[in-house]
Amino acid sequence: MTSAEGNPGDWGGLLLCGKATTTAGANSIAEVGGLVYGGTDDSDSSGSIDYLTIVGSGAQINADSQYNGLSLYAVGSGTSISNVAIIDGADDGVEFFGGTVSVSNIYLENNQDDAVDWTEGWNGTVTNTYVLHTVDGFSTAVEADGANNNPKLENFTAVSTVGGLALQFKKESGATIDNLSLTGYDSSLDFPDNGALTNVKIEGEDANPESTYTTPPTVNIDMFSWVSTEVVVDPTLLQGTVEGEVTLDASVEYTLNSSYVVQDGGKLIIPAGTKITARSGGTDVYIAVLQGGEIDIQGTPENPVVISSVEGNPEDWAGLTICGKATTTAGAGTIAEIGGFVYGGNDDTDNSGSIKNLVLVGTGAQINSESQYNGISFYSVGSGTVVENIAIINGADDGVEFFGGTVSATNLYLENNQDDSVDWTEGWSGNITNTYVSHTVAGFSTAIEADGANGNPNIVNFTAVSTVDGIGLQFKKQSGATISNIFLDGYATNVDFPDNGGAPANVIIDGTPLTGPSDDVFSDGTAVDISTWTWKDARL
């Protein structure tokens, strides 16, 4: 069923009116066509629909009402609906107004309002749904409204290449959702009327608006091979999940469009010279490596890998997060403050891959008043992971932060990161060799911030230079480090112990424990020579 051109709003759509229950009551009048619907027969049958394509529906009636591709008014469970494709609708793909009907195998592409919408206490099931958004300006993949009769969504996959909102639950609406996969959306969940999160169960848990629900697709698009469509998702957009081994092509101009998550058992290989433009999407744009996954960034000094937003401004995008299985004082199976990722274990030699010659620009998007992404966040990353020749520039939070773990790093260049250039907590016990920190913009926090238990990491050849004063090193609580060859220049305060004096003796510089913040040993070292670090200057 289509118009000649198949443009959105060319015609109305298909409406079924049944005799099942609805919170609107029996013999209600539909907002379209003045049709009567609703009754008391939840097993009512309005017939059977199988292998139907609807294109160009959604004509507007007035400022408040439009037709949907498929409108199901109090349709009963005796009705059979499967294998339906609704494409380029000007309003919803399918909307349920009460009723008990269930639908299976539904493909919804570029419907301008909601792909799936329900209200009036619908309580059926939708099984095997694939939603695709490649045109900006749509409303949601799912909108629910009104009373909660707990409908079910089973195997629901939604993909956007243009951001947007995935699921919206108005008033007290809810659902039970199993096998949810969202890719490319700026927001996963919205409760505009402050409805109860407990009304929405996803994978058996209360809905969590801070989770992206970016998991491998739960519906294979190949099951809709019978659908005629000209839409192809741009393969240069990096988003979704990495399963198995995925190798990028250095000759391709990629866009990091949303979250790109390397799953357990997955491996992402980024060859030398690859340049990736990060969409300025804030916290929704990042690369994450989960426990058991690996990343292999194969940059060389001559051809580093660059990931940057177009403007390279702080907070344009999130950053790189790696989760490992090494020890942390937070314990095994801890949930990260960003992304809800799991980290921590008992394998201090765990290997999350190799990162060589990488430049990150414009990271550090803010999640809330307490949490932000860092340029690179190392969550319990193990010593089997290789990290060398890394530049992190113009980050809105830390350059690198270590949350426990044993990973070491060599040759770090950290320029104008607004919080801490190097930060560690949770007993990190690795080494950093050859670090150069540059501060030319006022308002940053520190060159080094350490917090929590003292895992006694080793810092060798550390140089930090400020033209705008500030604090050089800050050691909170009982944290400490063994530092060899440190050179600080231009800081108003070289070292700070904010927690009642902290534990200066835990900070050992060139073999001598500090006695307090007045110790003047911070200009005795030799500055790290970065004249050969040409890789740090690479940009898009």
Side-chain angles (χ1 to χ4, degrees):
M1 298 180 182
T2 182
S3 60
E5 299 297 328
N7 294 322
D10 275 351
W11 62 293
L14 176 61
L15 293 81
L16 276 64
C17 297
K19 301 177 182 178
T21 52
T22 164
T23 58
N27 299 317
S28 292
I29 304 300
E31 66 179 4
V32 293
L35 306 174
V36 176
Y37 70 101
T40 58
D41 184 2
D42 279 345
S43 62
D44 184 43
S45 173
S46 296
S48 175
I49 299 173
D50 202 10
Y51 288 100
L52 169 66
T53 299
I54 297 173
V55 182
S57 59
Q60 186 164 340
I61 301 168
N62 54 47
D64 298 316
S65 301
Q66 285 177 290
Y67 286 88
N68 305 300
L70 178 60
S71 298
L72 301 170
Y73 283 94
V75 175
S77 61
T79 308
S80 175
I81 302 176
S82 62
N83 301 311
V84 175
I86 304 173
I87 299 170
D88 291 337
D91 201 58
D92 300 338
V94 56
E95 183 166 6
F96 302 86
F97 297 84
T100 55
V101 66
S102 294
V103 178
S104 63
N105 303 349
I106 185 165
Y107 177 85
L108 303 159
E109 177 187 300
N110 288 331
N111 294 285
Q112 294 178 351
D113 196 8
D114 312 304
V116 178
D117 191 347
W118 67 81
T119 186
E120 299 182 12
W122 169 66
N123 69 344
T125 300
V126 177
T127 305
N128 299 336
T129 305
Y130 196 100
V131 176
L132 181 60
H133 288 123
T134 63
V135 178
D136 197 9
F138 67 91
S139 294
T140 69
V142 166
E143 180 190 87
D145 198 0
N148 179 24
N149 274 351
N150 192 32
K152 295 176 175 56
L153 302 182
E154 298 178 355
N155 307 331
F156 190 97
T157 294
V159 177
S160 173
T161 64
V162 290
L165 171 62
L167 314 180
Q168 184 177 70
F169 292 88
K170 296 181 177 180
K171 299 179 181 176
E172 289 302 314
S173 62
T176 296
I177 306 175
D178 291 312
N179 298 322
L180 174 66
S181 173
L182 303 177
T183 293
Y185 294 89
D186 292 326
S187 299
S188 60
L189 283 160
D190 179 42
F191 293 81
D193 302 315
N194 297 316
L197 300 183
T198 55
N199 284 353
V200 181
K201 300 293 186 183
I202 301 177
E203 320 303 354
E205 303 289 338
D206 292 346
N208 179 8
E210 294 187 1
S211 175
T212 64
Y213 296 101
T214 299
T215 63
T218 56
V219 175
N220 188 338
I221 196 171
D222 291 342
M223 74 183 298
F224 299 104
S225 59
W226 53 272
V227 177
S228 178
T229 175
E230 297 179 356
V231 172
V232 176
V233 175
D234 186 350
T236 68
L237 294 180
L238 303 180
Q239 60 180 31
T241 58
V242 173
E243 300 176 274
E245 188 172 290
V246 173
T247 302
L248 303 187
D249 184 340
S251 68
V252 173
E253 296 181 357
Y254 292 100
T255 297
L256 180 60
N257 193 53
S258 186
S259 56
Y260 196 41
V261 183
V262 182
Q263 302 290 300
D264 183 3
K267 185 175 185 178
L268 175 62
I269 300 173
I270 306 179
T274 303
K275 294 187 175 182
I276 300 172
T277 300
R279 180 174 67 89
S280 295
T283 58
D284 302 303
V285 179
Y286 59 83
I287 296 175
V289 181
L290 304 187
Q291 287 185 317
E294 290 188 38
I295 189 166
D296 184 7
I297 296 179
Q298 302 175 340
T300 65
E302 297 76 21
N303 290 292
V305 171
V306 178
I307 309 176
S308 171
S309 58
V310 172
E311 299 296 330
N313 294 321
E315 206 172 351
D316 275 350
W317 63 291
L320 171 61
T321 297
I322 304 175
C323 300
K325 300 177 182 179
T327 52
T328 164
T329 58
T334 297
I335 305 299
E337 67 178 6
I338 56 178
F341 304 124
V342 176
Y343 70 101
N346 54 22
D347 183 3
D348 279 344
T349 63
D350 186 39
N351 179 8
S352 294
S354 174
I355 304 173
K356 295 182 178 180
N357 298 284
L358 171 66
V359 178
L360 302 179
V361 185
T363 60
Q366 185 165 341
I367 302 168
N368 53 47
S369 61
E370 303 296 328
S371 300
Q372 285 179 289
Y373 284 87
N374 305 299
I376 305 181
S377 299
F378 294 97
Y379 282 95
S380 293
V381 176
S383 61
T385 308
V386 175
V387 181
E388 61 184 49
N389 293 5
I390 308 297
I392 301 174
I393 298 165
N394 292 347
D397 201 59
D398 300 338
V400 295
E401 183 165 7
F402 301 89
F403 298 82
T406 55
V407 65
S408 295
T410 302
N411 298 352
L412 299 182
Y413 179 81
L414 305 162
E415 178 184 309
N416 287 329
N417 295 285
Q418 294 178 352
D419 196 9
D420 312 305
S421 296
V422 178
D423 192 346
W424 67 81
T425 185
E426 298 181 13
W428 171 63
S429 60
N431 306 318
I432 297 179
T433 304
N434 301 335
T435 303
Y436 194 99
V437 175
S438 175
H439 286 127
T440 62
V441 178
F444 66 91
S445 293
T446 69
I448 284 180
E449 180 190 87
D451 197 2
N454 182 22
N456 192 32
N458 287 289
I459 311 299
V460 179
N461 302 333
F462 186 91
T463 295
V465 178
S466 173
T467 62
V468 289
D469 295 330
I471 298 174
L473 315 181
Q474 186 175 74
F475 292 89
K476 296 180 177 179
K477 298 179 182 176
Q478 296 300 307
S479 62
T482 295
I483 304 175
S484 302
N485 188 35
I486 186 169
F487 179 85
L488 302 182
D489 184 51
Y491 294 90
T493 301
N494 284 327
V495 62
D496 178 42
F497 297 92
D499 295 321
N500 298 316
N506 285 348
V507 182
I508 302 170
I509 295 181
D510 295 327
T512 302
L514 292 183
T515 60
S518 62
D519 286 7
D520 186 15
V521 294
F522 301 101
S523 59
D524 296 343
T526 302
V528 173
D529 182 4
I530 59 172
S531 62
T532 61
W533 291 11
T534 55
W535 45 269
K536 71 180 177 59
D537 299 318
R539 299 295 185 270
L540 292 177

